[in-house]
Amino acid sequence: MPSFDTVLETDLVKVKNAVENTSKEIGTRFDFKGTPAAIELKDKEISLIGNSDFQIDQMSDILRSKLTKAGVDIRFLDVGKIEKIGGDKVKQVSKVRDGIEAEQAKKIQQLIKGSKIKVQASIQEGKVRITGAKRDDLQAAQALIRAEISDFPLSFDNQRD
């Protein structure tokens, strides 16, 4: 049976490099001198720490531009709320998405079932496998997923005939 996997995977090396480049730029910019402005990456979480919401927004813009230059889609980031962490410091934590969550996988599965394409979708830990008898049906399913799901950057791999 021909099949392919729908996955949500990011290149964590590129994300790490973008975070390091953002940290370097924060260190050299005049408007961040003498402030606790910092960025760090731990276990697929990017933390931005600063004095104010404005400073967090500035660092976030720098991070987005560095990620874009590195070729990482910014839809991989699940940006959290800005919260106070004591004194006059604020923090924002963004999670790097890796793997399709159960709710999103069910949405893809329902999309495939709702279409009249003769393929089956099965959810497997962090990915959705699409199988069908004809290659053309699989290509139609890929086109449908690309057209309907734009919230996060999905890709297709492990294609078999």
Side-chain angles (χ1 to χ4, degrees), residues 8-12 15-16 19 41-46 63 67 72-73 75-79 93-99 101:
L8 181 65
E9 293 176 343
T10 184
D11 188 352
L12 291 175
V15 172
K16 182 181 176 193
V19 169
L41 175 67
K42 280 187 183 173
D43 299 329
K44 298 179 185 174
E45 287 188 349
I46 300 171
L63 177 64
L67 285 170
V72 177
D73 195 325
R75 293 180 294 173
F76 278 114
L77 290 183
D78 184 17
V79 180
V93 177
S94 300
K95 294 179 181 169
V96 179
R97 292 181 180 151
D98 195 28
E101 296 173 5

mmCIF file of all heavy atoms in Angstrom, residues 8-12 15-16 19 41-46 63 67 72-73 75-79 93-99 101:
data_model
loop_
_atom_site.group_PDB
_atom_site.id
_atom_site.type_symbol
_atom_site.label_atom_id
_atom_site.label_comp_id
_atom_site.label_asym_id
_atom_site.label_seq_id
_atom_site.Cartn_x
_atom_site.Cartn_y
_atom_site.Cartn_z
ATOM 1 N N LEU A 8 5.394 17.237 11.762
ATOM 2 C CA LEU A 8 5.699 18.599 12.175
ATOM 3 C C LEU A 8 7.057 18.544 12.870
ATOM 4 O O LEU A 8 7.142 18.250 14.058
ATOM 5 C CB LEU A 8 4.620 19.121 13.133
ATOM 6 C CG LEU A 8 4.771 20.540 13.653
ATOM 7 C CD1 LEU A 8 4.654 21.540 12.511
ATOM 8 C CD2 LEU A 8 3.719 20.844 14.693
ATOM 9 N N GLU A 9 8.116 18.753 12.100
ATOM 10 C CA GLU A 9 9.468 18.667 12.642
ATOM 11 C C GLU A 9 10.240 19.924 12.300
ATOM 12 O O GLU A 9 10.194 20.404 11.171
ATOM 13 C CB GLU A 9 10.204 17.454 12.054
ATOM 14 C CG GLU A 9 9.637 16.135 12.480
ATOM 15 C CD GLU A 9 10.334 14.954 11.810
ATOM 16 O OE1 GLU A 9 11.027 15.160 10.803
ATOM 17 O OE2 GLU A 9 10.164 13.838 12.312
ATOM 18 N N THR A 10 10.978 20.421 13.256
ATOM 19 C CA THR A 10 11.825 21.583 13.027
ATOM 20 C C THR A 10 13.283 21.176 13.169
ATOM 21 O O THR A 10 13.598 20.197 13.829
ATOM 22 C CB THR A 10 11.492 22.712 14.018
ATOM 23 O OG1 THR A 10 12.278 23.844 13.705
ATOM 24 C CG2 THR A 10 11.744 22.315 15.437
ATOM 25 N N ASP A 11 14.148 21.956 12.556
ATOM 26 C CA ASP A 11 15.582 21.723 12.665
ATOM 27 C C ASP A 11 16.072 22.463 13.912
ATOM 28 O O ASP A 11 16.261 23.677 13.896
ATOM 29 C CB ASP A 11 16.289 22.233 11.404
ATOM 30 C CG ASP A 11 17.744 21.843 11.358
ATOM 31 O OD1 ASP A 11 18.253 21.317 12.375
ATOM 32 O OD2 ASP A 11 18.378 22.069 10.312
ATOM 33 N N LEU A 12 16.257 21.733 15.006
ATOM 34 C CA LEU A 12 16.619 22.347 16.282
ATOM 35 C C LEU A 12 18.004 22.990 16.250
ATOM 36 O O LEU A 12 18.274 23.915 17.019
ATOM 37 C CB LEU A 12 16.524 21.327 17.414
ATOM 38 C CG LEU A 12 15.098 20.879 17.743
ATOM 39 C CD1 LEU A 12 15.110 19.778 18.785
ATOM 40 C CD2 LEU A 12 14.266 22.043 18.225
ATOM 41 N N VAL A 15 17.409 26.436 15.032
ATOM 42 C CA VAL A 15 16.774 27.216 16.102
ATOM 43 C C VAL A 15 17.827 27.643 17.124
ATOM 44 O O VAL A 15 17.854 28.796 17.561
ATOM 45 C CB VAL A 15 15.641 26.405 16.775
ATOM 46 C CG1 VAL A 15 15.113 27.123 18.003
ATOM 47 C CG2 VAL A 15 14.510 26.139 15.791
ATOM 48 N N LYS A 16 18.699 26.720 17.504
ATOM 49 C CA LYS A 16 19.761 27.030 18.468
ATOM 50 C C LYS A 16 20.680 28.124 17.934
ATOM 51 O O LYS A 16 21.035 29.064 18.667
ATOM 52 C CB LYS A 16 20.570 25.771 18.776
ATOM 53 C CG LYS A 16 21.657 25.980 19.801
ATOM 54 C CD LYS A 16 22.432 24.701 20.050
ATOM 55 C CE LYS A 16 23.577 24.989 21.007
ATOM 56 N NZ LYS A 16 24.533 23.901 21.066
ATOM 57 N N VAL A 19 18.928 31.467 18.147
ATOM 58 C CA VAL A 19 18.897 31.964 19.532
ATOM 59 C C VAL A 19 20.263 32.546 19.914
ATOM 60 O O VAL A 19 20.344 33.604 20.533
ATOM 61 C CB VAL A 19 18.462 30.838 20.509
ATOM 62 C CG1 VAL A 19 18.691 31.248 21.953
ATOM 63 C CG2 VAL A 19 17.003 30.497 20.293
ATOM 64 N N LEU A 41 17.740 29.053 25.490
ATOM 65 C CA LEU A 41 17.037 27.899 24.948
ATOM 66 C C LEU A 41 17.284 26.704 25.852
ATOM 67 O O LEU A 41 18.430 26.332 26.099
ATOM 68 C CB LEU A 41 17.540 27.593 23.523
ATOM 69 C CG LEU A 41 17.001 26.350 22.844
ATOM 70 C CD1 LEU A 41 15.514 26.498 22.545
ATOM 71 C CD2 LEU A 41 17.756 26.080 21.549
ATOM 72 N N LYS A 42 16.197 26.123 26.369
ATOM 73 C CA LYS A 42 16.294 24.923 27.205
ATOM 74 C C LYS A 42 15.161 23.988 26.839
ATOM 75 O O LYS A 42 13.993 24.372 26.911
ATOM 76 C CB LYS A 42 16.156 25.274 28.692
ATOM 77 C CG LYS A 42 17.386 25.819 29.344
ATOM 78 C CD LYS A 42 17.157 25.963 30.837
ATOM 79 C CE LYS A 42 18.364 26.586 31.493
ATOM 80 N NZ LYS A 42 18.108 26.888 32.906
ATOM 81 N N ASP A 43 15.500 22.768 26.466
ATOM 82 C CA ASP A 43 14.499 21.728 26.200
ATOM 83 C C ASP A 43 13.336 22.209 25.327
ATOM 84 O O ASP A 43 12.181 22.134 25.719
ATOM 85 C CB ASP A 43 13.945 21.170 27.506
ATOM 86 C CG ASP A 43 15.019 20.537 28.363
ATOM 87 O OD1 ASP A 43 15.985 20.014 27.772
ATOM 88 O OD2 ASP A 43 14.889 20.559 29.598
ATOM 89 N N LYS A 44 13.631 22.744 24.192
ATOM 90 C CA LYS A 44 12.641 23.215 23.217
ATOM 91 C C LYS A 44 11.787 24.361 23.750
ATOM 92 O O LYS A 44 10.644 24.545 23.328
ATOM 93 C CB LYS A 44 11.748 22.070 22.751
ATOM 94 C CG LYS A 44 12.496 20.966 22.048
ATOM 95 C CD LYS A 44 11.569 19.859 21.632
ATOM 96 C CE LYS A 44 12.352 18.713 21.044
ATOM 97 N NZ LYS A 44 11.528 17.559 20.760
ATOM 98 N N GLU A 45 12.329 25.137 24.684
ATOM 99 C CA GLU A 45 11.657 26.333 25.188
ATOM 100 C C GLU A 45 12.607 27.507 25.094
ATOM 101 O O GLU A 45 13.737 27.432 25.580
ATOM 102 C CB GLU A 45 11.204 26.154 26.633
ATOM 103 C CG GLU A 45 10.023 25.241 26.798
ATOM 104 C CD GLU A 45 9.478 25.240 28.216
ATOM 105 O OE1 GLU A 45 10.136 25.791 29.121
ATOM 106 O OE2 GLU A 45 8.396 24.683 28.422
ATOM 107 N N ILE A 46 12.150 28.590 24.492
ATOM 108 C CA ILE A 46 12.954 29.803 24.368
ATOM 109 C C ILE A 46 12.400 30.810 25.364
ATOM 110 O O ILE A 46 11.221 31.173 25.310
ATOM 111 C CB ILE A 46 12.876 30.366 22.934
ATOM 112 C CG1 ILE A 46 13.390 29.338 21.938
ATOM 113 C CG2 ILE A 46 13.670 31.660 22.842
ATOM 114 C CD1 ILE A 46 13.165 29.714 20.487
ATOM 115 N N LEU A 63 14.528 37.830 17.332
ATOM 116 C CA LEU A 63 14.492 36.375 17.232
ATOM 117 C C LEU A 63 13.780 35.931 15.966
ATOM 118 O O LEU A 63 14.260 35.048 15.250
ATOM 119 C CB LEU A 63 13.815 35.766 18.466
ATOM 120 C CG LEU A 63 13.643 34.247 18.448
ATOM 121 C CD1 LEU A 63 14.992 33.550 18.427
ATOM 122 C CD2 LEU A 63 12.825 33.799 19.640
ATOM 123 N N LEU A 67 15.393 33.703 12.991
ATOM 124 C CA LEU A 67 14.806 32.422 12.603
ATOM 125 C C LEU A 67 14.474 32.404 11.107
ATOM 126 O O LEU A 67 14.716 31.415 10.419
ATOM 127 C CB LEU A 67 13.539 32.137 13.420
ATOM 128 C CG LEU A 67 13.743 31.706 14.860
ATOM 129 C CD1 LEU A 67 12.416 31.694 15.608
ATOM 130 C CD2 LEU A 67 14.396 30.342 14.935
ATOM 131 N N VAL A 72 13.906 28.873 9.235
ATOM 132 C CA VAL A 72 12.965 28.209 10.136
ATOM 133 C C VAL A 72 11.651 28.988 10.104
ATOM 134 O O VAL A 72 11.631 30.197 10.319
ATOM 135 C CB VAL A 72 13.511 28.158 11.583
ATOM 136 C CG1 VAL A 72 12.492 27.540 12.519
ATOM 137 C CG2 VAL A 72 14.820 27.403 11.626
ATOM 138 N N ASP A 73 10.563 28.297 9.829
ATOM 139 C CA ASP A 73 9.245 28.921 9.794
ATOM 140 C C ASP A 73 8.861 29.359 11.209
ATOM 141 O O ASP A 73 8.943 28.563 12.144
ATOM 142 C CB ASP A 73 8.225 27.923 9.253
ATOM 143 C CG ASP A 73 6.927 28.581 8.839
ATOM 144 O OD1 ASP A 73 6.509 29.563 9.485
ATOM 145 O OD2 ASP A 73 6.313 28.098 7.872
ATOM 146 N N ARG A 75 6.070 29.773 12.431
ATOM 147 C CA ARG A 75 4.872 29.084 12.935
ATOM 148 C C ARG A 75 5.241 27.903 13.824
ATOM 149 O O ARG A 75 4.375 27.332 14.478
ATOM 150 C CB ARG A 75 3.998 28.617 11.775
ATOM 151 C CG ARG A 75 3.373 29.777 10.998
ATOM 152 C CD ARG A 75 2.534 29.278 9.870
ATOM 153 N NE ARG A 75 3.386 28.627 8.874
ATOM 154 C CZ ARG A 75 2.933 27.963 7.823
ATOM 155 N NH1 ARG A 75 1.644 27.837 7.623
ATOM 156 N NH2 ARG A 75 3.764 27.409 6.967
ATOM 157 N N PHE A 76 6.530 27.528 13.851
ATOM 158 C CA PHE A 76 6.983 26.472 14.767
ATOM 159 C C PHE A 76 6.952 26.952 16.212
ATOM 160 O O PHE A 76 6.966 26.145 17.127
ATOM 161 C CB PHE A 76 8.405 26.010 14.420
ATOM 162 C CG PHE A 76 8.474 25.012 13.312
ATOM 163 C CD1 PHE A 76 9.078 25.330 12.114
ATOM 164 C CD2 PHE A 76 7.950 23.745 13.465
ATOM 165 C CE1 PHE A 76 9.145 24.408 11.091
ATOM 166 C CE2 PHE A 76 8.007 22.808 12.445
ATOM 167 C CZ PHE A 76 8.607 23.149 11.260
ATOM 168 N N LEU A 77 6.924 28.277 16.431
ATOM 169 C CA LEU A 77 6.926 28.810 17.795
ATOM 170 C C LEU A 77 5.514 28.920 18.327
ATOM 171 O O LEU A 77 4.622 29.440 17.673
ATOM 172 C CB LEU A 77 7.576 30.194 17.830
ATOM 173 C CG LEU A 77 9.072 30.267 17.590
ATOM 174 C CD1 LEU A 77 9.540 31.711 17.727
ATOM 175 C CD2 LEU A 77 9.832 29.387 18.544
ATOM 176 N N ASP A 78 5.326 28.432 19.534
ATOM 177 C CA ASP A 78 4.074 28.595 20.265
ATOM 178 C C ASP A 78 4.360 29.643 21.336
ATOM 179 O O ASP A 78 4.862 29.320 22.411
ATOM 180 C CB ASP A 78 3.643 27.265 20.874
ATOM 181 C CG ASP A 78 2.302 27.350 21.566
ATOM 182 O OD1 ASP A 78 1.560 28.321 21.318
ATOM 183 O OD2 ASP A 78 1.996 26.445 22.358
ATOM 184 N N VAL A 79 4.073 30.904 21.009
ATOM 185 C CA VAL A 79 4.458 32.030 21.860
ATOM 186 C C VAL A 79 3.531 32.132 23.062
ATOM 187 O O VAL A 79 2.312 32.143 22.921
ATOM 188 C CB VAL A 79 4.437 33.345 21.052
ATOM 189 C CG1 VAL A 79 4.838 34.516 21.920
ATOM 190 C CG2 VAL A 79 5.335 33.236 19.835
ATOM 191 N N VAL A 93 7.902 32.915 27.567
ATOM 192 C CA VAL A 93 8.402 31.600 27.174
ATOM 193 C C VAL A 93 7.686 31.177 25.897
ATOM 194 O O VAL A 93 6.457 31.182 25.831
ATOM 195 C CB VAL A 93 8.170 30.557 28.285
ATOM 196 C CG1 VAL A 93 8.616 29.187 27.847
ATOM 197 C CG2 VAL A 93 8.880 30.972 29.559
ATOM 198 N N SER A 94 8.478 30.815 24.884
ATOM 199 C CA SER A 94 7.943 30.305 23.622
ATOM 200 C C SER A 94 8.395 28.859 23.467
ATOM 201 O O SER A 94 9.570 28.558 23.644
ATOM 202 C CB SER A 94 8.464 31.130 22.443
ATOM 203 O OG SER A 94 8.085 32.469 22.580
ATOM 204 N N LYS A 95 7.464 27.997 23.148
ATOM 205 C CA LYS A 95 7.796 26.583 22.954
ATOM 206 C C LYS A 95 7.993 26.313 21.469
ATOM 207 O O LYS A 95 7.247 26.816 20.633
ATOM 208 C CB LYS A 95 6.686 25.686 23.496
ATOM 209 C CG LYS A 95 6.547 25.787 24.989
ATOM 210 C CD LYS A 95 5.442 24.918 25.506
ATOM 211 C CE LYS A 95 5.338 25.094 27.012
ATOM 212 N NZ LYS A 95 4.139 24.503 27.557
ATOM 213 N N VAL A 96 9.003 25.502 21.159
ATOM 214 C CA VAL A 96 9.255 25.093 19.784
ATOM 215 C C VAL A 96 8.440 23.828 19.535
ATOM 216 O O VAL A 96 8.631 22.819 20.206
ATOM 217 C CB VAL A 96 10.764 24.835 19.543
ATOM 218 C CG1 VAL A 96 11.005 24.393 18.111
ATOM 219 C CG2 VAL A 96 11.579 26.075 19.871
ATOM 220 N N ARG A 97 7.519 23.910 18.599
ATOM 221 C CA ARG A 97 6.666 22.759 18.299
ATOM 222 C C ARG A 97 7.478 21.677 17.602
ATOM 223 O O ARG A 97 8.230 21.941 16.681
ATOM 224 C CB ARG A 97 5.522 23.166 17.391
ATOM 225 C CG ARG A 97 4.526 24.067 18.032
ATOM 226 C CD ARG A 97 3.426 24.384 17.067
ATOM 227 N NE ARG A 97 2.465 25.264 17.694
ATOM 228 C CZ ARG A 97 1.739 26.142 17.038
ATOM 229 N NH1 ARG A 97 1.858 26.264 15.740
ATOM 230 N NH2 ARG A 97 0.882 26.910 17.677
ATOM 231 N N ASP A 98 7.297 20.459 18.045
ATOM 232 C CA ASP A 98 7.967 19.325 17.433
ATOM 233 C C ASP A 98 7.053 18.125 17.597
ATOM 234 O O ASP A 98 6.855 17.636 18.709
ATOM 235 C CB ASP A 98 9.332 19.083 18.086
ATOM 236 C CG ASP A 98 10.213 18.172 17.264
ATOM 237 O OD1 ASP A 98 10.043 18.143 16.031
ATOM 238 O OD2 ASP A 98 11.067 17.495 17.847
ATOM 239 N N GLY A 99 6.463 17.681 16.526
ATOM 240 C CA GLY A 99 5.498 16.587 16.581
ATOM 241 C C GLY A 99 4.080 17.142 16.598
ATOM 242 O O GLY A 99 3.816 18.189 17.172
ATOM 243 N N GLU A 101 0.432 17.453 17.782
ATOM 244 C CA GLU A 101 -0.316 17.188 19.007
ATOM 245 C C GLU A 101 -1.592 16.415 18.675
ATOM 246 O O GLU A 101 -2.064 16.442 17.540
ATOM 247 C CB GLU A 101 -0.652 18.500 19.708
ATOM 248 C CG GLU A 101 0.571 19.245 20.186
ATOM 249 C CD GLU A 101 0.239 20.632 20.728
ATOM 250 O OE1 GLU A 101 -0.962 20.984 20.824
ATOM 251 O OE2 GLU A 101 1.187 21.358 21.046
#
